[in-house]
């Protein structure tokens, strides 16, 4: 018996129906209009922060193709998603593969995590010509997901530096951090870089030399620098704290909410607020203050208050 793929015709070719952008700004359903107000507040917060920090945030007026490599394009549903590592980006990439796969995939969770990160499986905005880029930025619904900045940072640290299997990160960054931040490092630590302490990681992030040397790795780069919210007008800002709600709202706007739900599963290893508090216990107030400065725009822009555990100078 052939199972009819619910994504067949309906999901691929939505011509004639309203675009997600139209549905967002002129909702036909009452259930969508209440949520639209919340997202308007989030958009305003970003606009106000960009305006207030315009001196620092508008240095680079012209975005280069390299700036657009995190923006995943879904032609069929006229949507653009800017992915931020450590903010449910594996699952969102899986969903985008279902949306853009023309029926090739129907269940996001059947797509292996490593396959979701293969760049050729999704099309990004930097692969288009300048006129095509401008057309999509103007007419497609653009969204991203954010998370409390220090919780995201601790999540990145735990994933990249405390898991034995992440040898490429240990070699690429761990060895550099140990060499620069540890006084009497052993030869083994210098060679392997697999035992970086959180304090050393923080010291590396706030070191001016680091910033001059190369851009941050995407796992701890600011959302502000990855997605350029002061230059690109995002229609929707989803939050990790309301991930399911915001994700399913986006799928509803795209007209696929009936067949596609955002995958939910509670990861027991998830980085929580309590865990983040613990990690910051051993960070000096001077380093906490400097680190806050690095991520300050993300805190302000996405309306995250200064964490109560911080001892800022």
């Amino acid at each position: 018996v052939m199972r009819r793929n619910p994504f067949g015709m309906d999901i691929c070719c939505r011509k004639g129906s309203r675009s997600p952008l139209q549905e967002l700004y002129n909702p036909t359903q009452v259930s969508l209009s209440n949520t639209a107000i919340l997202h308007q507040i989030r958009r305003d917060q970003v606009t106000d922060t960009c305006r207030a920090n315009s001196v620092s945030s508008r240095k680079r007026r012209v975005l280069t193709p390299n700036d657009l490599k995190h923006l995943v394009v879904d032609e069929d549903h006229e949507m653009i998603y800017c992915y931020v590592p450590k903010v449910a980006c594996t699952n969102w990439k899986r969903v985008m593969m279902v949306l853009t796969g023309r029926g090739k995939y129907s269940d996001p969770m059947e797509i292996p995590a490593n396959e979701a990160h293969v760049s050729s499986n999704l099309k990004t905005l930097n692969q288009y010509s300048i006129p095509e880029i401008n057309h999509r930025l103007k007419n497609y619904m653009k969204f991203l997901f954010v998370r409390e900045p220090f919780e995201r940072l601790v999540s990145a640290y735990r994933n990249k530096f405390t898991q034995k299997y992440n040898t490429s990160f240990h070699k690429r960054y761990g060895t550099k951090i140990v060499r620069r931040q540890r006084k009497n490092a052993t030869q083994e630590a210098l060679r392997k870089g697999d035992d970086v302490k959180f304090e050393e990681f923080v010291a590396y992030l706030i070191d001016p030399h680091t910033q001059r040397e190369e851009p941050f790795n995407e796992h701890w780069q600011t959302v502000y620098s990855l997605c350029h919210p002061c230059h690109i007008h995002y229609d929707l800002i989803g939050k990790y704290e309301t991930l399911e709600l915001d994700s399913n709202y986006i799928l509803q706007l795209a007209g696929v909410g009936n067949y596609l739900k955002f995958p939910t599963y509670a990861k027991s290893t998830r980085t929580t607020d309590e865990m983040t508090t613990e990690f910051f216990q051993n960070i000096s107030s001077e380093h906490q203050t400097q680190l806050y400065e690095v991520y300050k725009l993300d805190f302000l822009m996405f309306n995250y208050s200064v964490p109560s555990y911080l001892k800022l100078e």
Side-chain angles (χ1 to χ4, degrees):
V1 180
M2 273 182 66
R3 241 173 17 123
R4 185 182 164 271
N5 180 355
F7 290 101
M9 185 53 206
D10 330 43
I11 198 164
C12 124
C13 317
R14 45 169 304 134
K15 294 305 159 228
S17 59
R18 285 159 60 85
S19 75
L21 208 53
Q22 291 168 318
E23 199 55 69
L24 170 66
Y25 291 106
N26 299 295
T28 49
Q29 300 170 45
V30 177
S31 62
L32 293 180
S33 58
N34 298 338
T35 318
I37 296 164
L38 166 74
H39 286 278
Q40 179 63 56
I41 294 167
R42 289 181 186 174
R43 280 196 298 277
D44 291 345
Q45 177 75 23
V46 171
T47 307
D48 294 347
T49 308
C50 290
R51 202 170 286 139
N53 296 275
S54 60
V55 183
S56 59
S57 64
R58 289 200 172 267
K59 271 186 208 133
R60 287 170 48 213
R61 285 189 180 279
V62 182
L63 294 178
T64 65
N66 197 41
D67 292 321
L68 306 174
K69 60 179 188 287
H70 273 248
L71 279 77
V72 175
V73 182
D74 172 2
E75 292 291 352
D76 295 323
H77 304 90
E78 302 189 345
M79 298 197 301
I80 295 174
Y81 159 57
C82 184
Y83 70 89
V84 177
K86 308 313 298 171
V87 193
C89 93
T90 305
N91 278 353
W92 255 110
K93 283 181 175 181
R94 284 170 164 144
V95 168
M96 292 300 275
M97 281 171 73
V98 172
L99 290 172
T100 59
R102 304 275 173 121
K104 191 173 162 191
Y105 312 96
S106 60
D107 179 1
M109 292 317 280
E110 280 175 9
I111 301 170
N114 58 345
E115 204 177 313
H117 296 293
V118 174
S119 55
S120 58
N121 282 333
L122 290 166
K123 197 159 187 195
T124 46
L125 196 58
N126 59 340
Q127 295 170 288
Y128 293 83
S129 70
I130 304 283
E132 289 172 331
I133 289 171
N134 289 333
H135 170 77
R136 281 156 185 75
L137 284 175
K138 189 172 162 209
N139 297 293
Y140 286 16
M141 184 177 83
K142 299 164 296 299
F143 68 95
L144 77 164
F145 275 80
V146 299
R147 181 178 186 177
E148 202 282 335
F150 285 169
E151 198 180 287
R152 177 177 164 242
L153 190 66
V154 169
S155 176
Y157 166 77
R158 291 178 64 218
N159 178 253
K160 298 304 170 197
F161 295 108
T162 69
Q163 305 290 344
K164 289 296 170 212
Y165 61 80
N166 262 322
T167 46
S168 62
F169 266 82
H170 303 157
K171 281 260 184 290
R172 170 90 171 75
Y173 295 100
T175 52
K176 188 185 285 183
I177 294 171
V178 170
R179 189 172 66 244
R180 207 183 287 169
Q181 306 300 338
R182 195 176 299 176
K183 286 216 164 66
N184 303 311
T186 63
Q187 283 307 307
E188 190 184 17
L190 287 165
R191 193 179 76 251
K192 285 187 171 172
D194 64 352
D195 65 344
V196 170
K197 297 183 182 71
F198 186 63
E199 299 87 285
E200 294 170 331
F201 178 51
V202 169
Y204 162 78
L205 294 175
I206 59 178
D207 182 350
H209 185 75
T210 304
Q211 298 266 23
R212 281 197 300 269
E213 194 174 53
E214 60 181 344
F216 276 0
N217 177 278
E218 60 175 20
H219 291 84
W220 47 87
Q221 180 61 280
T222 59
V223 177
Y224 164 73
S225 303
L226 287 177
C227 295
H228 313 286
C230 289
H231 301 276
I232 293 170
H233 171 83
Y234 285 93
D235 304 288
L236 280 166
I237 294 145
K239 294 205 161 188
Y240 192 72
E241 296 76 13
T242 47
L243 177 64
E244 223 176 306
L245 205 69
D246 293 340
S247 299
N248 288 324
Y249 174 57
I250 290 166
L251 296 174
Q252 243 181 311
L253 291 171
V256 299
N258 297 341
Y259 343 82
L260 185 55
K261 292 277 176 277
F262 192 77
T264 56
Y265 62 101
K267 273 172 76 175
S268 54
T269 56
R270 223 203 86 175
T271 301
T272 59
D273 184 47
E274 293 75 35
M275 217 180 269
T276 306
T277 305
E278 262 172 62
F279 271 91
F280 273 86
Q281 294 287 295
N282 301 327
I283 306 296
S284 69
S285 57
E286 185 192 353
H287 280 189
Q288 287 186 4
T289 305
Q290 288 172 291
L291 191 69
Y292 179 75
E293 281 303 316
V294 173
Y295 292 93
K296 187 177 176 179
L297 276 179
D298 279 7
F299 275 100
L300 296 174
M301 203 168 271
F302 307 118
N303 208 16
Y304 288 107
S305 49
V306 177
S308 56
Y309 54 77
L310 283 193
K311 309 179 285 286
L312 297 182
E313 291 193 333

